[in-house]
Amino acid sequence: MSLLVVGSVAFDSVETPFGKVEEVLGGSAMYFSTAASYFTDVNLVAVVGDDFPEEPIEFLKKRNVDTTGLHCVEGKTFRWKGRYGYDLNEAHTLDTQLNVFSDFAPELPEDYRDADFAFLANIDPVLQLEVLEQVNNPTFVAADTMNFWIEGKLNELKAVLERVDMLVINEGEARELSGEPNMVKAAEKIRAMGPTFVVIKRGEYGALLFANDQVFFAPAYPLESVFDPTGAGDTFAGGMIGYLARRGAVGDIESLRLSTVVGCVMASFVVEDFSFDAMRELDDERILQRFKDFHDLISFNPLHSLQ
Ligand code: AMP
């Protein structure tokens, strides 16, 4: 089933204890669409400036991502600068320059409007709403956001939340949005704002899925070398929602649980290298192998009981 995504395409400058990169390819929609493209057809909505190179667009096209909705306008591409300490679970934003996103009014190509699945990746909630308004009758809508928008556009974000089926959000942001330190209570409060399903990303500690009265937990894959967590959240979401779209699944708990694992599998690749680089090396075989390794990591036989 087709999956529509709106989000940022960016130049990122990132510092971690292991190194530093300047103005490299990034953005929530860039990571999301690449990860999702391993599972389903993706239609991308975003904007870049006239300083944006052709190569990443060619890369997306090769991954079968439809870039008709990726507008190129006069001006500068979105830029984000962030830093991570040894606690790689939390990004500290140093600078955000919206540039061409400040007055972007997305107009969806005609054949994007019948999307079955939609993902409103981290971007201005006003844009998320504008995109949602142009989709005819989506079966399943998920969204992400971050502290920048929780602090800057809370009312608009709340209007988005009323209209989505799932929110995929970081632990720190879940705390900020709900005003609740405990994750079980935070998820409950966020569900009361609209989404039936809440997924809380906990960096190297994995992800929690809250679905009605059920909770599911998937750990992050333990890796020897973690260089740069930038994009891990969006790659997680791309794997998760891409997989749900491939199955055409909207609410059954088995698909939701599996999709959470697929999200963790996809995110495990991106942190192994700086910025977007690891996403270029992926293929179906590596994904399947890590999925199997993941299964070994978390399976145990409950019949060998404690007696
Ligand atoms: P994550 O997957 O959570 O690590 O998200 C990282 C990506 O989010 C980076 O590539 C940034 O370009 C992008 N980003 C950072 N701040 C914003 C923002 N305010 N709006 C949209 N995208 C952002």
Side-chain angles (χ1 to χ4, degrees):
M1 292 205 178
S2 72
L3 168 58
L4 170 77
V5 55
V6 58
S8 57
V9 173
F11 286 128
D12 289 344
S13 297
V14 183
E15 235 182 280
T16 83
F18 314 107
K20 195 175 164 173
V21 285
E22 295 273 337
E23 305 239 319
V24 293
L25 181 62
S28 55
M30 195 68 212
Y31 285 104
F32 180 92
S33 13
T34 305
S37 72
Y38 284 91
F39 304 96
T40 193
D41 295 334
V42 181
N43 295 338
L44 169 65
V45 179
V47 64
V48 291
D50 48 18
D51 54 356
F52 197 75
E54 199 48 44
E55 190 279 329
I57 303 173
E58 288 309 314
F59 170 82
L60 288 173
K61 284 183 185 160
K62 275 201 205 116
R63 293 270 351 121
N64 251 335
V65 173
D66 189 325
T67 56
T68 326
L70 175 62
H71 301 256
C72 184
V73 302
E74 213 175 288
K76 285 174 82 178
T77 298
F78 176 91
R79 275 163 172 78
W80 177 73
K81 210 177 251 191
R83 189 176 53 215
Y84 296 84
Y86 280 103
D87 174 7
L88 292 167
N89 296 328
E90 204 187 340
H92 303 279
T93 294
L94 303 175
D95 190 29
T96 304
Q97 292 173 22
L98 295 176
N99 298 332
V100 289
F101 266 108
S102 342
D103 37 35
F104 177 51
E107 166 104 20
L108 258 55
E110 215 34 61
D111 54 343
Y112 280 29
R113 295 175 189 242
D114 288 325
D116 307 294
F117 282 68
F119 187 71
L120 313 172
N122 176 26
I123 195 65
D124 190 334
V126 173
L127 285 180
Q128 294 180 320
L129 273 177
E130 277 177 30
V131 165
L132 202 49
E133 230 117 72
Q134 296 173 59
V135 187
N136 292 329
N137 196 12
T139 331
F140 189 83
V141 181
D144 186 3
T145 193
M146 73 182 288
N147 46 9
F148 189 82
W149 307 114
I150 298 172
E151 287 153 26
K153 297 214 174 164
L154 186 60
N155 288 336
E156 293 84 347
L157 178 60
K158 284 189 171 162
V160 172
L161 293 179
E162 279 172 20
R163 297 182 53 179
V164 304
D165 301 288
M166 177 186 276
L167 182 70
V168 184
I169 191 171
N170 281 348
E171 181 171 26
E173 285 147 7
R175 261 189 204 117
E176 193 169 344
L177 178 62
S178 63
E180 176 58 64
N182 175 284
M183 281 306 107
V184 178
K185 289 183 185 156
E188 207 40 57
K189 282 200 173 164
I190 295 171
R191 291 183 66 214
M193 297 177 190
T196 311
F197 309 107
V198 172
V199 179
I200 297 182
K201 299 171 284 181
R202 307 186 63 219
E204 65 177 312
Y205 306 113
L208 279 163
L209 161 77
F210 294 88
N212 302 318
D213 56 347
Q214 303 214 30
V215 186
F216 176 69
F217 170 69
Y221 191 75
L223 296 162
E224 206 172 305
S225 48
V226 176
F227 284 106
D228 177 9
T230 310
D234 306 307
T235 307
F236 170 90
M240 178 171 203
I241 310 298
Y243 179 79
L244 286 177
R246 169 156 147 177
R247 282 182 79 122
V250 290
D252 73 283
I253 191 68
E254 272 322 307
S255 302
L256 286 164
R257 289 163 80 106
L258 252 175
S259 71
T260 311
V261 171
V262 174
C264 289
V265 166
M266 295 308 282
S268 73
F269 291 108
V270 75
V271 300
E272 289 183 297
D273 207 340
F274 263 93
S275 75
F276 194 76
D277 291 351
M279 299 303 283
R280 297 180 186 276
E281 312 280 304
L282 270 183
D283 58 45
D284 291 329
E285 207 179 314
R286 288 187 68 208
I287 295 170
L288 187 61
Q289 185 54 51
R290 189 149 292 174
F291 188 71
K292 288 179 181 160
D293 294 344
F294 208 92
H295 181 258
D296 288 343
L297 173 74
I298 59 178
S299 54
F300 61 94
N301 188 343
L303 296 178
H304 294 301
S305 66
L306 297 175
Q307 299 142 18

